[in-house]
Amino acid sequence: MEPPDRPIPEPAAPAGGMRNVTALGIVSFFTDVSTEMVLGVLPFFIVSTLGASRLLLGTIEGSAELVSYAFRMLSGSWSDKTGRRKVFVFAGYAASTASKPFFAAASSWVDAFLVRSGDRVGKGIRTAPRDALIADSVPESRVGRAFGLHRTIDQLGAIVGPVAAFALLQVVDIRGVFLASLIPGAIAVLVLVFFVKEIAVKSKAGTTMLGNIRVLLKGNRPLFFLLGVAGIFSLGAFNFSFVLLRASDLGVEQNLIPLVYAAINVSHAVIGIPSGILADRIGKEKTLIIGYSVFLVSTLLMVMFAGNVLYAYVLAAVFGLYVGISETVQRAVIPRYVPSELRGTAFGLYNLIIGVCFFASNVMFGFLWDSFGLAAAVSYSAAVTMVAISAMGVFLRKYKTQQPI
C-alpha cells in the first residue's frame, strides 16, 4: 500500500478515546514530576559537581537524546508490526523510573552520561507507541486537542517536579533529590497498568522496519517535506540546559535554578491546549511557524537580556512557550499524512530525524559558546531557525490546498 499524496481519511475512533488520552496524560504527569525533579538540578550537578564543560554538557544531553530518538524508531516500527502499543509504553516508563535514582551514585560525568542514557532509552521505547496510541484514540479532527490535552497534563507534572526539587533541596542534597524521584515514577507505572487501555490497530506482521519506511515515504511528498523542515529546525534548536546556564550567568543562585526551570514548564503547560486548538482551527503547519518564531525570539533574548535576575524568568517563560507549541503541534501534524497502521513507524522516523539533528545542534551550540562566546552560538541558532521558518512557508504555498478551512 502506498500512502497518497494527500491527508489520510480517518476512520471513526473508539468511544471514550479522550479518557484514554487523559489517562496517558496522568501517567506523563507523574513521570514528569520524577524527571523534572532531576533535570531541574542536573545541568549544575554535571558542570559544578562533576566538573564537565558546557561543550561536554551539550554532548551528554545531545547524545542521550540521540539514543532516545533511535529507540523511538525501533519501538514505533515494532508496535506497528505487532499492532500493540501499550506493552512498549509500559516498558519505556518502567525503564525510565528505574534508572533516574542511579544519578545519586554518579561520581563522574561518564556515570551521569550512562544513567542519562538509560533514562532516555526508556523515553525512546515509549514515545512513538504512546503518540500513536493517542492518535489512534481520537479522530483526526481532534488530534490537535488530544495532543494539547496530553501535553498540558504532562507539563503540570513538569511544574510540580522543579518545585518539589526546590523544596527538597532545603532539607537534602542533590543526590537525595535523585533518590526521591523514584516515588512519582512508580505511581506513573501503576496508573498506566490499570487505567490506560490498548487500542486495536491492524498488525503489520511480516513487514520490516525499512519496508515500512519505504511504504510510508513512497509518493508521500508532503510527509517527506515536513520531516525535512523538522530536521532543519532541529539543527538550530538547543536544549533547555543552556537556558538554565544563562540564568546562572544572569545572577540566579544555584538553589533557585529549579524555579527558573519551573517557569519554562509553566509556560509550556499554559500554551499546550490553546496551541492544539489553534492548530485544529487554522492548520497545524501554520501553527508550527508560530512555534518556530517564538523559539527565534527566545534565542535572541539569550544575548539581549543582561544585568537583571528577573530577565532569567522572562527568558524561561518565552522558551517554554516555544516548547509547548512545537512539541504539541509537531506530533499532531504527523497523523494527517499517515495511515493508522504506520503511525508508530512515522512517529519513530520523525523522532530519529530530529534526534540526529538535535544532537548536532546541542554539540555545536555548546562548542560555539565555549570557544567564541554566547553571541556566536545564538547567531548560529537564529540563522538555522530562519531557514526552517522559510521552508515551512514554502510548504504552505506548495500544499495550500491541503490546509483545513
Side-chain angles (χ1 to χ4, degrees), residues 28 56 64 78 100 128 237 252 282 293 326 371:
S28 292
L56 197 50
W78 288 338
K100 287 190 288 287
V252 179
I282 71 170
S293 299
S326 65
S371 302

Side-chain angles (χ1 to χ4, degrees), residues 72-86:
R72 294 179 200 192
M73 180 72 259
L74 294 173
S75 65
S77 180
W78 288 338
S79 74
D80 285 341
K81 186 178 181 67
T82 62
R84 296 169 62 86
R85 314 291 194 196
K86 185 175 175 179

